[in-house]
Amino acid sequence: MSYIKSPLSDADLKVVGDALQGALVDLVDLSLVAKQVHWNVVGPRFRSVHLQLDEVVTTARLHSDTVAERASAIGVSPDGRAVTVAKSSAITTVPEGWIKDTDAVKVLVDALGVVIGRMRERISATDEPDPITQDILIGLTADLEKHAWMFQAETV
């Protein structure tokens, strides 16, 4: 049951709602992964990687709120509960314990790659049914790709 009347048809709402829910899950998990690595990173590049991880957390949290509010605006109840995120995320598990700075960078490159790939699929899926949602997904994907570029540049 929805308390908000959607401007979208039922078919379009299904596609867009799934895209927004998937994006929300990925962004919440990305913020958790980046924060976990942030707390446990060690090594000669500790400070720069530590600070860079917080930038990813900030980006993911900002965009997760935008995505969740877009879902609400079109009549879809967003679900960012831990159980939902754990069940639906495609990001691999972060290793337990201390994480060397080089490994931390790899974890983030991999996590960002997964999320960006899924966001690009959602961009394509929302093209026709809801260009407004597509625009939100394009903007957040651009920010994620910038983070991915910066982490990848550290692996050269």
Side-chain angles (χ1 to χ4, degrees):
M1 168 184 210
S2 178
Y3 293 100
I4 309 300
K5 180 167 174 31
S6 179
L8 304 176
S9 70
D10 288 346
D12 287 350
L13 186 61
K14 171 74 171 123
V15 170
V16 176
D18 288 350
L20 288 167
Q21 180 58 40
L24 178 60
V25 163
D26 285 350
L27 290 167
V28 169
D29 199 24
L30 180 63
S31 72
L32 294 172
V33 164
K35 199 49 130 167
Q36 180 66 26
V37 175
H38 166 89
W39 293 324
N40 287 285
V41 66
V42 294
R45 296 182 318 180
F46 162 80
R47 182 156 173 75
S48 63
V49 173
H50 183 78
L51 294 173
Q52 194 174 357
L53 288 161
D54 260 348
E55 292 171 6
V56 173
V57 171
T58 298
T59 297
R61 287 179 179 168
L62 174 70
H63 286 300
S64 66
D65 194 50
T66 300
V67 164
E69 288 179 357
R70 177 63 186 159
S72 293
I74 63 167
V76 174
S77 175
D79 187 354
R81 297 173 301 153
V83 66
T84 303
V85 173
K87 179 175 59 175
S88 306
S89 178
I91 301 173
T92 58
T93 306
V94 175
E96 199 175 313
W98 302 115
I99 304 170
K100 289 183 51 78
D101 51 7
T102 52
D103 295 335
V105 168
K106 182 174 177 0
V107 167
L108 261 290
V109 167
D110 292 347
L112 285 162
V114 167
V115 173
I116 289 166
R118 288 167 50 117
M119 290 299 179
R120 286 184 161 273
E121 291 171 5
R122 295 176 185 121
I123 289 167
S124 294
T126 55
D127 177 30
E128 290 295 322
D130 189 23
I132 297 165
T133 295
Q134 183 192 44
D135 186 57
I136 291 168
L137 296 174
I138 289 169
L140 75 87
T141 302
D143 287 348
L144 296 177
E145 287 179 350
K146 183 176 179 182
H147 286 299
W149 156 56
M150 291 183 176
F151 277 106
Q152 288 176 48
E154 294 198 32
T155 64
V156 178

